[in-house]
Amino acid sequence: MASESLKVLIINSGSSSLKFSFLEAGAGTVLAAGIAERLNTDEAAFKITAPADSRREECIPRGGHRKAVQMAVGFLTQDIKFNVDAIGHRVVHGGEWFRSAVRIDQDVLDKIDALSSLAPLHNPHSAEGIRLTLEFYPGRPQVAVFDTAFHHTLPSEVFYYAIPYEFYEKYRIRRYGFHGTSYQFITQEIARRLNRPAKELQFVAAHLGNGCSATAVRNGESVDTTMGLTPLEGLVMGTRSGDVDPTLHQTLQRLTGARLAEITDWLTKKSGLLGLSGVTHDMRGILEAMERNNLRAKLAFDVFCFRLARALMALTASLDRVDALVFTGGIGENSVPVRADVLGRLKILGCQVDPALNAEHGKSSGGRITRAGVPAYVIPTNEELMITREVARVLGKDQETG
Ligand code: ADP
């Protein structure tokens, strides 16, 4: 099968949700997409979001991941009647084993399972998604695409924590970085837009969605990033705290009597924009509350923007020059005030926002939103398309060598 016409089902299996999309590799056209949410609860629901004329939502009380995959497969085979040529899985943690996407076999699946010790909140769900699609599509090629893989080039001074070395040796405790699929796409896309080879580009990109991170890319490779062992490190996010003092767990345990797991839960699900504002985890909601003069929402916005600006400057320590700053993800692509505030804090890079270009997200200028200094760009990410390209690449390579 020519890789251009390959039709790929992409599965993104999380703790309480399972997203699927179905793309044609060549044009990157989305043929179908949907999401099952609030899985294993009374409110579990399965939603078709594409194609437009098939949009619908169905309640699947107590339905879990199996039910979600079953419904997605049923929709693809019975409703839109496309043949699935291959399956791509978004896997959060690839540890040190996986430096790029790989075709899934039993050994790969065992390793993804084993990495649950480093990523207990993520990898068990990825592994479950893989097992289910292997069952529903036996014999169909399946590829794992890892969020950590693009960061396999991090130099040692970036990925080691300054803790006793044996924790690295024994347990592989180190910084890994995440959102790699998005940064890989952004690297290809900025090279295309600037009409320069990725190997010659040095830039800093911020992926700002519900999870937020920023990465320095040097000659097409990740050389520093804000997330670490887990996606909790680094920037302030929707519900995640980002960096805190490492003794915070102990202090909160002493003061509140809470268990460690409960405190991790506070830092993961009740902190960030939500924790500071007390209003919402959602940047749109924060901006609306600020318009109503909500001071805690303004505080959350300020902490979010300051911490991001500080991180962007810190990431420049890994570069000789900054060819571009890139904003992506739901907040990066859509939030005019966040970009204006952050760039306003980067005067040391000479950044001068062009308010008109920023207001239209750089649509008329190839994404550029600055008029002087280091140029800043808004570039919509497309992780599904990147996963589809990786599936086509891995399977194409298999054909060459097989
Ligand atoms: P995920 O990480 O789940 O993929 P997204 O990339 O969709 O999330 O980003 C979600 C974030 O983007 C939310 O904080 C949301 O408020 C924000 N966002 C989306 N649209 C806008 C907008 N028009 N203005 C400000 N923030 C926005």
Side-chain angles (χ1 to χ4, degrees), residues 3-191:
S3 66
E4 307 81 58
S5 53
L6 200 75
K7 294 194 184 60
V8 183
L9 170 62
I10 296 167
I11 301 285
N12 183 350
S13 181
S15 57
S16 62
S17 72
L18 185 138
K19 287 187 206 160
F20 78 93
S21 43
F22 186 50
L23 275 81
E24 204 220 333
T29 319
V30 178
L31 303 169
I35 181 169
E37 290 173 301
R38 300 182 291 279
L39 292 173
N40 303 307
T41 71
D42 291 338
E43 287 81 42
F46 181 79
K47 225 190 280 182
I48 301 288
T49 52
D53 57 4
S54 298
R55 269 185 208 153
R56 61 173 186 263
E57 183 168 347
E58 214 174 302
C59 294
I60 48 167
R62 308 304 310 167
H65 291 76
R66 170 174 293 277
K67 176 81 180 161
V69 171
Q70 200 177 17
M71 291 189 73
V73 171
F75 175 71
L76 293 174
T77 44
Q78 283 149 32
D79 290 46
I80 60 169
K81 298 192 171 61
F82 274 119
N83 196 31
V84 172
D85 296 317
I87 297 134
H89 291 269
R90 177 184 175 214
V91 180
V92 172
H93 216 306
E96 288 189 331
W97 277 315
F98 300 109
R99 299 159 75 87
S100 68
V102 287
R103 189 159 173 167
I104 296 172
D105 57 17
Q106 192 55 47
D107 177 55
V108 168
L109 185 52
D110 289 346
K111 286 190 168 118
I112 291 171
D113 261 330
L115 285 165
S116 296
S117 63
L118 287 179
L121 301 177
H122 300 98
N123 274 38
H125 310 293
S126 305
E128 188 179 3
I130 292 170
R131 268 190 278 275
L132 285 166
T133 54
L134 283 170
E135 197 181 306
F136 281 96
Y137 289 110
R140 219 68 60 94
Q142 313 225 7
V143 172
V145 181
F146 300 92
D147 260 19
T148 47
F150 185 67
H151 300 296
H152 81 269
T153 45
L154 291 179
S156 51
E157 70 266 28
V158 172
F159 79 67
Y160 279 103
Y161 289 114
I163 58 175
Y165 191 79
E166 58 262 32
F167 294 131
Y168 170 72
E169 284 183 308
K170 267 196 204 154
Y171 308 117
R172 289 294 179 257
I173 302 293
R174 50 160 282 184
R175 306 183 67 245
Y176 289 94
F178 298 88
H179 288 144
T181 309
S182 176
Y183 292 120
Q184 191 180 358
F185 178 84
I186 293 296
T187 302
Q188 294 181 357
E189 189 58 20
I190 186 102

Side-chain angles (χ1 to χ4, degrees), residues 208-211 281-284 287 329-331 334-335:
L208 311 172
N210 283 310
H281 69 280
D282 190 289
M283 186 55 89
R284 261 170 310 199
L287 297 172
I331 298 173
N334 297 297
S335 177

